[in-house]
Amino acid sequence: MAKTDRRVQRTRERLQRALIELISERGYDAITVQDIVNRANVGRTTFYLHYSSKDELFMSCHEAVVSKFRLCPLSREDLLSPEAPPEMVSAYRHLEDARALLSPIFLSYVKDSPLILRRIHDRCARQIEACLRTAFAEGAITIPLDVLANYLTGAQIALVQWWLEEHRPYTPEDLAQAIHHLQRAAIREAFNLRDSNQASRCFAERAGG
C-alpha cells in the first residue's frame, strides 16, 4: 500500500511540475491536457485517474502558490522607515519572477482561483496582524488590529492584481515603495503617530525620477 501511495504521489508531482513549467513557457490559457501529459511523460488515462481537468491540476498546486506569500517579520523601524524594507522589495521581485504562475490566479483564469486568493489573503492578514502586534506592542491603536491588517492585505492584493492584469510598467521596486508609502501612512494614522514629510518626498522623488 505504501509503495502504491508513493507511486501515486510521484505521478502527481510530475504532472504538477509539468504544468508549472508549461505555464512559465506559454501561459496558462495556451496549455492543453495533451501538452501536460507529453511533458510529464504519462498517458491521458493516467492523467484522468488523478485529475478531472487542467483546472483541478492547477488547484492541486495551490499550496506552492500560497507559500510564495510568506511575509518576513518587520520591525517598527522597518514599518515606519521612509524607504521600503529590503525584504519587501525582494518579495515583489519574487512576485515578478512568478508572474506566469500567479497570473492565472489573480486574473481569474482558473475557475476556483477565488479560493486561492482567499487563502492568500487570510495568510497574509494573519502575518501582518502578528507583525503589527509585535512592532507596536505598547501602542494605542484607534481601530481594531484585525481590521487594519485586513485592510493592508486587501490593498496589497488589489494592487498586485492590477499590476499583473494591466502589465503596468512599474518595477517591483516602484511597487514596493508605493505600497510601503501607503501602508506607512495607514499605520501612522491607526497608531496616532506624528507623521513627517520624509516618506512623501522620498516617493515623489522616486516617481519623478
Side-chain angles (χ1 to χ4, degrees):
M1 183 66 176
K3 184 180 293 185
T4 301
D5 289 344
R6 286 197 296 271
R7 188 161 58 243
V8 167
Q9 184 60 32
R10 283 197 299 269
T11 300
R12 289 178 177 172
E13 287 173 355
R14 286 168 65 184
L15 289 167
Q16 291 169 351
R17 186 164 56 250
L19 176 60
I20 290 172
E21 289 174 358
L22 288 166
I23 288 173
S24 298
E25 295 170 11
R26 308 181 191 178
Y28 187 77
D29 282 348
I31 300 168
T32 65
V33 169
Q34 190 61 50
D35 293 329
I36 297 167
V37 298
N38 288 347
R39 178 63 62 92
N41 196 27
V42 302
R44 289 179 69 92
T45 301
T46 299
F47 177 92
Y48 287 112
L49 284 174
H50 297 278
Y51 303 104
S52 64
S53 66
K54 179 180 74 171
D55 282 0
E56 186 178 350
L57 170 59
F58 185 85
M59 283 294 291
S60 75
C61 302
H62 74 279
E63 283 299 337
V65 174
V66 173
S67 69
K68 291 182 179 294
F69 290 82
R70 285 199 177 97
L71 305 180
C72 297
L74 298 175
S75 67
R76 180 188 178 103
E77 290 71 26
D78 290 330
L79 292 167
L80 298 180
S81 170
E83 288 283 352
E87 296 88 348
M88 188 174 184
V89 175
S90 177
Y92 281 96
R93 287 175 181 153
H94 285 309
L95 290 183
E96 183 178 51
D97 292 341
R99 180 186 289 261
L101 179 60
L102 296 173
S103 289
I105 297 172
F106 280 92
L107 307 187
S108 299
Y109 294 158
V110 182
K111 179 182 64 176
D112 293 322
S113 60
L115 298 177
I116 303 178
L117 282 175
R118 181 75 254 172
R119 292 202 62 191
I120 291 171
H121 179 104
D122 291 347
R123 173 191 285 265
C124 290
R126 287 194 300 269
Q127 292 173 339
I128 289 176
E129 183 176 351
C131 184
L132 292 172
R133 194 179 301 280
T134 300
F136 299 94
E138 299 178 1
I141 191 169
T142 59
I143 59 174
L145 196 56
D146 57 345
V147 172
L148 176 61
N150 277 277
Y151 167 76
L152 296 176
T153 302
Q156 282 200 64
I157 290 177
L159 279 170
V160 168
Q161 187 170 12
W162 169 80
W163 185 48
L164 292 172
E165 182 177 11
E166 300 296 335
H167 301 287
R168 298 294 179 180
Y170 304 111
T171 66
E173 292 79 9
D174 292 334
L175 195 65
Q177 184 61 36
I179 290 175
H180 176 68
H181 175 66
L182 294 169
Q183 287 187 337
R184 180 178 183 271
I187 291 170
R188 282 188 168 277
E189 181 69 24
F191 286 96
N192 273 325
L193 301 173
R194 190 173 64 180
D195 203 353
S196 70
N197 293 323
Q198 280 183 298
S200 298
R201 286 199 302 269
C202 175
F203 181 64
E205 289 169 3
R206 182 183 290 269

